[in-house]
Amino acid sequence: MSPAQYTQYIFRAALLAGAALLTSCGAGGGDLALGERQAGQGVAVGEPNGAAPVTAEFVAHAQAAPCAEQRNRLFMVDKRMVYWDRAGNCGDNGYARTLYGATPQQIFCSAADSIAGPRAFCNDESSRALFNTIDANRHKADLGLGSGHLVEPIDVPPRA
C-alpha cells in the first residue's frame, strides 16, 4: 500500500469512526462523504462518454444528511458532475464538501471535518484542480468556474 493510499485509508476510517459518534447530530442519516455507498436507483440518460447525474439520488442523500441545518446545497456542474456542500452545528462532522461524477458512488474529491480534524482527498487526481476551485468559491453562484462551465443549482426540498 502506497503512502497516499494509506493516508486515504486512515482518513476514511476516521470519517467512519466520527460518523459512529454523531448520535447528538442525527447520525444514521448517512453522508456519502463519510463512505456510505448505496446502490443506484433509476436509469441515467447521458452523453456518449458518460452518463448525466441522476439528481434524485443526490437529493435523497442530501435530505437524509445529518448536520445540514446551515447549508445543504447541490449543484450540477457541466451536466456530468454534482457538487454537494453541507454544513451544520455538530461538534464533529460539521461540514462535508464533495464532487461526484454521475452517481453518488463515484466520488472524485471530498473535504470534510472529522474526529481527526479537517481532511481532504481525491480519488480522481485529474479532478483536484476543479474541486479546489469550486471549494474555494463555494459561496459564488458559478462556484468560481466562470462562463466556460455550466453550473445549475439542484433544489433540495425539506424531507417529507
Side-chain angles (χ1 to χ4, degrees):
M1 180 179 291
S2 75
Q5 290 171 320
Y6 180 75
T7 301
Q8 188 175 29
Y9 172 80
I10 295 300
F11 171 65
R12 287 186 177 168
L15 285 175
L16 290 172
L21 295 174
L22 284 176
T23 57
S24 66
C25 291
D31 186 331
L32 295 176
L34 298 176
E36 178 182 307
R37 306 289 189 260
Q38 294 186 1
Q41 300 169 359
V43 176
V45 178
E47 301 162 0
N49 293 328
V54 179
T55 58
E57 289 182 66
F58 290 100
V59 169
H61 288 296
Q63 287 175 322
C67 299
E69 65 275 0
Q70 290 177 349
R71 283 190 320 272
N72 197 10
R73 305 173 320 142
L74 292 168
F75 297 90
M76 176 94 61
V77 179
D78 295 335
K79 299 266 187 214
R80 59 186 182 85
M81 295 173 280
V82 171
Y83 176 73
W84 183 13
D85 175 24
R86 176 202 55 80
N89 293 316
C90 292
D92 184 30
N93 190 30
Y95 68 86
R97 299 182 298 263
T98 307
L99 180 64
Y100 298 93
T103 69
Q105 295 78 24
Q106 188 180 17
I107 298 174
F108 290 155
C109 294
S110 184
D113 182 29
S114 75
I115 195 163
R119 299 287 185 242
F121 71 91
C122 285
N123 288 325
D124 177 7
E125 284 300 320
S126 66
S127 299
R128 185 177 296 276
L130 179 70
F131 177 73
N132 289 344
T133 298
I134 292 171
D135 202 40
N137 295 283
R138 65 187 172 276
H139 301 296
K140 295 180 179 177
D142 70 349
L143 301 176
L145 297 177
S147 61
H149 293 271
L150 177 63
V151 176
E152 303 169 272
I154 301 169
D155 187 41
V156 181
R159 192 173 191 177

